[in-house]
Amino acid sequence: MPEFLDRFAPSTRVLHWLVAIPVLILMLTGLTNFWPEAKTLHLGGARIFAWLHVLLGLGFAVALLPSLLAIFSRRAARRDARELLLVRLDDYLWLQHRALRAAGLRSIAPRVGKFNAGQKVNAALATTAIIVLIGTGVVLGVNFWNKNVFDVDLVAAVFRWHTVLSLLLLPLIVGHLYMAALNPETRESLRGMTSGRVRRAWAERHHDAWAERAREASRRGAGPDRR
């Protein structure tokens, strides 16, 4: 029996990092607004972090749609997206199980597919926040270069929404980083997003229903996520 199981195809991994890396950099450069010393750093008359934030944000917004269209032409990426969006009874049972365990009560964990309900909720919230941040960021980015395009009151309202959503997204990002890189029980998932494979023993503990399907596909000689 193989020690590793194929978990994510290249298309899914590219999609993850295509979004994760720019969003992380945008979050870091945006947070300099709350750090006066960094906010006032200038180069050639321009505020360094503000300029980087706007330039990267607009580039991210422009490049995202064609990149998504190219990635979702791959079957594996579409399959993973559908799996994230699909809500099953086991997802409700998983959330109930986690709530009972957090309260110190006994509970039997339900079978878990490729993504558990926590990952699905996190993905839904993060995706919604990122979409709205892109929309508000475009308005703010255009205003950064030309303050005659949008009404000043509109820009002020958009800036408030952009700031609030960024601060709401921050705990999701921090939690995701902790679960992926630091938490011993879940950091194996990072291997799946870098190499595409995870240890079979870990998959059987945390994603048993998916691991069973992956083993069957491996025995047939066609990994479930290769395309």
Side-chain angles (χ1 to χ4, degrees), residues 6 40 69 89 111 135 210:
D6 292 330
T40 56
L69 291 175
L89 175 60
R111 288 171 61 79
W210 170 78

Side-chain angles (χ1 to χ4, degrees), residues 151-199:
D151 179 77
V152 64
D153 292 331
L154 172 65
V155 173
V158 168
F159 179 79
R160 285 194 296 272
W161 275 105
H162 194 77
T163 302
V164 170
L165 280 171
S166 298
L167 295 176
L168 291 175
L169 181 60
L170 183 59
L172 293 179
I173 293 175
V174 172
H176 184 71
L177 289 172
Y178 169 75
M179 297 297 284
L182 299 176
N183 184 18
E185 285 295 311
T186 54
R187 64 187 178 196
E188 179 71 15
S189 59
L190 182 60
R191 186 200 302 270
M193 238 353 130
T194 53
S195 71
R197 311 181 77 199
V198 294
R199 294 187 184 277

Side-chain angles (χ1 to χ4, degrees), residues 99-133:
L100 290 172
R101 290 292 300 274
L105 302 175
R106 296 182 62 185
S107 175
I108 299 176
R111 288 171 61 79
V112 178
K114 190 166 192 176
F115 304 103
N116 61 45
Q119 291 169 318
K120 292 181 179 182
V121 170
N122 182 78
L125 292 175
T127 300
T128 301
I130 289 170
I131 290 172
V132 179
L133 284 171

Side-chain angles (χ1 to χ4, degrees), residues 21-54:
I21 293 174
V23 166
L24 184 58
I25 298 174
L26 284 166
M27 185 65 68
L28 292 174
T29 54
L31 286 174
T32 59
N33 277 318
F34 301 95
W35 184 9
E37 290 80 3
K39 183 178 180 179
T40 56
L41 284 177
H42 283 71
L43 180 65
R47 289 189 292 133
I48 296 174
F49 288 110
W51 185 84
L52 286 174
H53 187 77
V54 171

Side-chain angles (χ1 to χ4, degrees), residues 35 60 65 78 80-81 103-104 118 121 129 141 157 160 165 202 206 216-218 226:
W35 184 9
F60 179 54
L65 182 57
R78 295 197 304 271
D80 284 339
V121 170
R160 285 194 296 272
L165 280 171
W202 177 86
H206 296 276
E216 291 173 356
S218 179
R226 291 182 180 175

